[in-house]
Amino acid sequence: MAVEREIVYWVDVNTGLYYVEQHLQIATYASVYAANDAVGARGKLVVPNSGIIANAKLIDPDDDTLALTLHIFKGAFTAVADNAAYTVGAIDAHLIVTSILFDSITDHGGFKQAEEFNINSHYYVPSGELFYQCSTTGTPNIANNKEPIIIL
């Protein structure tokens, strides 16, 4: 069973940038994912109605070599189940905002981190909601209560 985690939002008072932090909701713990499997359920982020996704950070408290792609949509796309092959139908193609590949990982010993800069994907969502799902490019085995954390 997925652990419900608080979504954290903040604004940098120096830059005015809006940030959101989300723990991925993982349904299948201690199970090896295959390459291109969905990691976590579809998630929803409350964001300003329009903006730019400038940078993204992945924190892996499980200390796997976790190579993820974060797929962001401007509407509630039809997602797949956690640990199933990631695929989104053509009917939802118009909803895609960006896909962010976290491919450069820094090992801190007890956890891993990856950051992607200069993404610069514009979005406009009157609802103030973006939706996302991750897929893996590797074969991680995510432990209970060690969900990856995404910060935009």
Side-chain angles (χ1 to χ4, degrees), residues 15-133:
T15 64
L17 293 177
Y18 179 89
Y19 293 89
V20 60
E21 176 180 322
Q22 171 71 58
H23 291 249
L24 299 183
Q25 299 301 304
I26 304 295
T28 308
Y29 291 109
S31 177
V32 176
Y33 288 80
N36 205 40
D37 273 358
V39 179
R42 179 183 70 200
K44 178 174 68 173
L45 302 171
V46 176
V47 296
N49 296 83
S50 65
I52 299 171
I53 299 170
N55 306 311
K57 182 185 293 187
L58 167 69
I59 300 172
D60 176 16
D62 194 29
D63 202 23
D64 276 333
T65 302
L66 186 58
L68 287 182
T69 302
L70 173 63
H71 310 279
I72 302 175
F73 297 82
K74 61 183 177 182
F77 66 100
T78 303
V80 299
D82 179 40
N83 212 4
Y86 176 80
T87 182
V88 175
I91 194 165
D92 291 326
H94 68 286
L95 299 174
I96 189 74
V97 173
T98 191
S99 290
I100 303 165
L101 173 62
F102 293 101
D103 58 353
S104 181
I105 298 169
T106 301
D107 190 343
H108 293 276
F111 70 96
K112 290 185 174 62
Q113 166 203 347
E115 291 189 68
E116 298 299 325
F117 299 98
N118 302 314
I119 298 163
N120 297 324
S121 287
H122 296 255
Y123 69 86
Y124 173 69
V125 286
S127 66
E129 297 174 334
L130 288 173
F131 296 83
Y132 68 90
Q133 189 165 32

Side-chain angles (χ1 to χ4, degrees), residues 48 102 136 139:
F102 293 101
T136 183
T139 55

